[in-house]
Amino acid sequence: MTGKGLPPRLGFGSVRAMSKERILLSRRMVLAGLLSGVAEMSFAAPPTRSLRPAPRPGGPGARLSPSAEALVGKANLGAAKVGFVVADATTGEVLETMNPLLAQPPASVAKALTAVYALATLGPGYRFATRLIGTGPVEDGVLKGDLILAGSGDPTLDTDRLAALVDGLKAMGVTSVAGAFRTWDAALPGLRVIADDQPDQVGYNPAISGLNLNFNRVHFEWRRAGAGWNVSMDARSATLRPDVRVSRMSVVTRRYPIYTYEDGGETDRWTVASGALGQNGSRWLPVRKPTAYTAEVFQVLAGSKGLRLSTATPIADLPEGTVLAQVESDDLRKVLTAMLKYSTNITAEAIGLASTAARGDVPASLEQSAMAMSDWLGGKIASPKPALVDHSGLGGDSRISATEMVRALVRVGPEVDLEPMLKPISMKDNKGRPIPDYPATILAKTGTLNFVSALAGYVSLPDGRKLAFATFVADPVRRDAIPLAERERPSGVRSWTARARALQLQLIDRWSNVHAS
């Protein structure tokens, strides 16, 4: 072996390096080996017998490529377990496996399942709407009733679009409100966090409600001022940055912990260690009171346009009224594509919750909604259901096997045209450099938690064959042993994740060589 890569005779670019004649010869011989050696398993239809690992393929492609066992053995992943399945994406024929029934944390690969669930439930053209409802008539510019800011759970609502909602209200001629300013957020359950095993300060673990803003994050910024710092908390977007009071920050003389959080009733109260600030900087912090946050920012924006509103009060039931203004999200397919690209947790959770609500009642928790999605998916793939605890994969207790994941890709993915929504993955050589002319095309979803790495999607080979695959690498014991305060950047996780991702690419390179038609 050369370094951490493959033998010199078969690097990551091996498919590219083969001559046309050699490729044709190898494909014939590999195909012969597959026909004689691969078990007759398929994901295209429900199994007629219990699942079992597929025998390793034969032929010169298999002999020239390092075995999966050799690649895993050299990956230096400690006690981590590796499970994978690769299948023909068209026929469902299982080509190669390792620990195919081992239930592993999917991490953000779960978002691909959420995308399928949402598209099948809500449809690709679905849009979230945020409305302003008046409970009385508008007379001489005065709304003779209450003004209600009503959300549907839009996870992509930002400050700019909230300002457009104010403009819509002004366009209706409303200059004042005689009644109260109220909020309604019951389209989704109110949840303080996505996962309760994350540090307080991580922006990817915010609260969720029927009214969300800026991915339920607030922008914290500090600037050195003499012996101290000036700090601000704002709801910035592309063009606006209104200050907020619902999230408050205090600088405290200490070195550790860097952040603390306290529920202040009406406010989120944060402290930050002075020893960690330096000169100037900023970061996004999670919002724990998203409805109050959204209402406050709307109130500030309305005030800037001359429309004075009282402090918002929440209501449990939405009364009858007239829609005075409305803003909408992009269509669901576009929102999901962005979610899969940027792996936004709140988007996955809000969409998953909205999908479950559309199938029945509003779920009381993420676990209840994830169970409904698991039940639905289990029925679609004719398999014991996956055990998911949320829609984003942030919760470390979610479990799914590579078999179940590949079945979903083969059977359900094509029904909603999932493949083009996935992110292109670059093949890399044994020094970690992208191979720009690698002949196989990889579209997949990545997933990363501490000492958990997942990758699942499709590989299109030069000969037209398409593979569906899922690879889960996880060391849950090591992950769970990390103290809560250290889980944002635990020691050793960065290099471990790099080795796990390299292994996943090495396996794809192997499959691209061995399983060409």
Side-chain angles (χ1 to χ4, degrees), residues 15 25 73 77 83-84 97 102-103 106 131 142 157 162 213 233 335 399-400 420 434 441 455 471 517:
V15 173
L25 176 61
L77 295 170
F84 71 74
T97 70
L102 177 65
R131 300 172 293 163
V142 180
L157 183 68
L162 208 58
L213 184 68
M233 305 285 271
V335 172
R399 293 292 185 272
I400 189 172
T441 300
L455 186 67
T471 306
S517 298

Side-chain angles (χ1 to χ4, degrees), residues 348-368:
E349 302 300 356
I351 290 175
L353 289 164
S355 299
T356 300
R359 290 176 173 269
D361 296 330
V362 175
S365 65
L366 282 181
E367 292 82 356
Q368 182 182 341

Side-chain angles (χ1 to χ4, degrees), residues 448-452 475 479 482 486-488 490 493 496:
T448 306
L449 295 172
N450 291 331
F451 300 107
V452 174
D475 189 345
R479 176 186 182 275
I482 302 169
E486 299 175 17
R487 290 184 179 182
E488 187 172 9
V493 74
W496 184 96

Side-chain angles (χ1 to χ4, degrees), residues 89-453:
T90 302
T91 68
E93 178 191 7
V94 175
L95 304 174
E96 193 172 340
T97 70
M98 177 180 288
N99 297 320
L101 303 181
L102 177 65
Q104 298 265 64
S108 286
V109 165
K111 294 182 176 71
L113 301 175
T114 299
V116 169
Y117 180 58
L119 288 169
T121 303
L122 302 173
Y126 177 84
R127 294 174 185 266
F128 289 92
T130 305
R131 300 172 293 163
L132 289 175
I133 298 173
T135 61
V138 178
E139 298 177 358
D140 298 324
V142 180
L143 171 60
K144 303 288 189 176
D146 294 340
L147 179 67
I148 303 169
L149 177 61
S152 62
D154 185 356
T156 66
L157 183 68
D158 63 6
T159 299
D160 284 349
R161 202 138 42 89
L162 208 58
L165 199 59
V166 174
D167 292 339
L169 185 63
K170 296 289 289 184
M172 290 292 292
V174 177
T175 57
S176 65
V177 176
F181 175 39
R182 303 188 183 280
T183 57
W184 181 78
D185 63 3
L188 298 184
L191 306 172
R192 193 186 73 84
V193 295
I194 295 174
D196 59 10
D197 61 352
Q198 298 290 328
D200 287 330
Q201 70 272 14
V202 292
Y204 54 76
N205 188 34
I208 300 171
S209 83
L211 277 169
N212 306 299
L213 184 68
N214 299 329
F215 301 106
N216 288 345
R217 300 179 307 166
V218 63
H219 191 261
F220 165 46
E221 186 171 19
W222 62 93
R223 292 286 180 267
R224 190 77 193 207
W229 292 265
N230 291 327
V231 299
S232 63
M233 305 285 271
D234 65 64
R236 67 180 55 191
S237 56
T239 64
L240 300 167
R241 53 179 64 186
D243 290 334
V244 297
R245 299 184 304 275
V246 71
S247 290
R248 303 184 181 187
M249 177 65 73
S250 299
V251 179
V252 177
T253 303
R254 66 169 187 260
R255 295 193 62 83
Y256 191 81
I258 297 177
Y259 291 95
T260 67
Y261 169 79
E262 179 185 359
D263 186 341
E266 298 298 321
T267 60
D268 287 334
R269 295 181 179 176
W270 293 92
T271 71
V272 63
S274 59
L277 289 183
Q279 290 296 315
N280 307 313
S282 64
R283 74 168 287 166
W284 290 95
L285 292 171
V287 167
R288 300 287 177 231
K289 304 180 186 302
T291 300
Y293 175 57
T294 308
E296 180 188 1
V297 174
F298 182 85
Q299 182 187 37
V300 170
L301 295 173
S304 71
K305 297 294 180 73
L307 181 59
R308 296 175 61 86
L309 297 174
S310 61
T311 300
T313 55
I315 55 175
D317 299 312
L318 188 62
E320 295 290 331
T322 302
V323 176
L324 301 174
Q326 176 173 300
V327 292
E328 294 183 339
S329 69
D330 288 329
D331 67 74
L332 184 62
R333 191 168 190 85
K334 186 172 182 179
V335 172
L336 288 170
T337 300
M339 175 200 74
L340 292 169
K341 179 179 180 179
Y342 299 109
S343 209
T344 44
N345 292 329
I346 187 175
T347 304
E349 302 300 356
I351 290 175
L353 289 164
S355 299
T356 300
R359 290 176 173 269
D361 296 330
V362 175
S365 65
L366 282 181
E367 292 82 356
Q368 182 182 341
S369 184
M371 184 181 298
M373 185 174 81
S374 297
D375 287 340
W376 174 85
L377 182 63
K380 296 290 288 187
I381 64 176
S383 172
K385 68 180 183 183
L388 304 176
V389 300
D390 58 31
H391 299 286
S392 66
L394 183 60
D397 291 334
S398 283
R399 293 292 185 272
I400 189 172
S401 70
T403 290
E404 292 164 330
M405 189 70 214
V406 171
R407 281 183 173 171
L409 294 172
V410 171
R411 295 183 186 176
V412 193
E415 294 180 5
V416 296
D417 199 19
L418 174 67
E419 183 183 359
M421 299 171 61
L422 298 175
K423 184 178 179 179
I425 304 295
S426 297
M427 182 58 71
K428 297 180 181 180
D429 64 18
N430 53 16
K431 293 185 179 180
R433 300 170 300 195
I435 301 174
D437 56 347
Y438 190 77
T441 300
I442 309 165
L443 295 174
K445 181 70 190 82
T446 60
T448 306
L449 295 172
N450 291 331
F451 300 107
V452 174
S453 182

